Amino acid sequence: MAHREEHPQKVKIWDPIVRILHWTLVIAFMTAWLSSGQLQTLHEWAGYTVGVVVVVLRIIWGVIGTRHARFINFTYSPKEILQHLRKPDSVKPAPTLPLSPPASIF
């Protein structure tokens, strides 16, 4: 009998919209940072992209989006968060939740 190495199954938690919004945030932030003081119009548009487009769309998607994108599914109780901060191995995130207990605060 040959030894078969088992690999955990990869599960995609974040949907394409969340991934696109997060990468848009990274690109717009870097554009704003790199264009600061040099290309003012580009800097301003990058800021508007972050402040209006990404944040507003993420809030909307956090209310009406897919199961893992909804903010309501990020929550842990304050007791679980404090317990995790004291002993990180004591609270195992539920397999359906995409964030660790402390990360769910944000």
Side-chain angles (χ1 to χ4, degrees):
M1 182 184 290
H3 175 64
R4 194 174 127 204
E5 195 173 316
E6 291 187 32
H7 298 287
Q9 182 180 2
K10 290 184 179 183
V11 177
K12 290 187 178 182
I13 299 285
W14 303 111
D15 61 65
I17 292 177
V18 172
R19 290 173 187 261
I20 289 168
L21 288 173
H22 284 178
W23 279 109
T24 302
L25 174 65
V26 169
I27 293 166
F29 180 83
M30 291 302 296
T31 300
W33 184 56
L34 293 171
S35 65
S36 177
Q38 298 168 0
L39 303 167
Q40 195 59 31
T41 303
L42 179 61
H43 178 79
E44 290 172 4
W45 277 104
Y48 292 138
T49 300
V50 171
V52 178
V53 177
V54 174
V55 172
V56 170
L57 288 177
R58 182 62 185 104
I59 290 171
I60 291 169
W61 196 243
V63 174
I64 66 168
T66 59
R67 180 177 66 159
H68 293 300
R70 286 189 218 125
F71 299 135
I72 194 75
N73 292 327
F74 290 1
T75 58
Y76 284 90
S77 71
K79 180 182 176 184
E80 289 174 307
I81 293 169
L82 291 173
Q83 185 179 8
H84 182 81
L85 290 172
R86 283 189 209 112
K87 291 180 97 181
D89 293 335
S90 66
V91 176
K92 299 293 182 198
T96 58
L97 292 176
L99 300 173
S100 69
S104 70
I105 295 170
F106 301 102

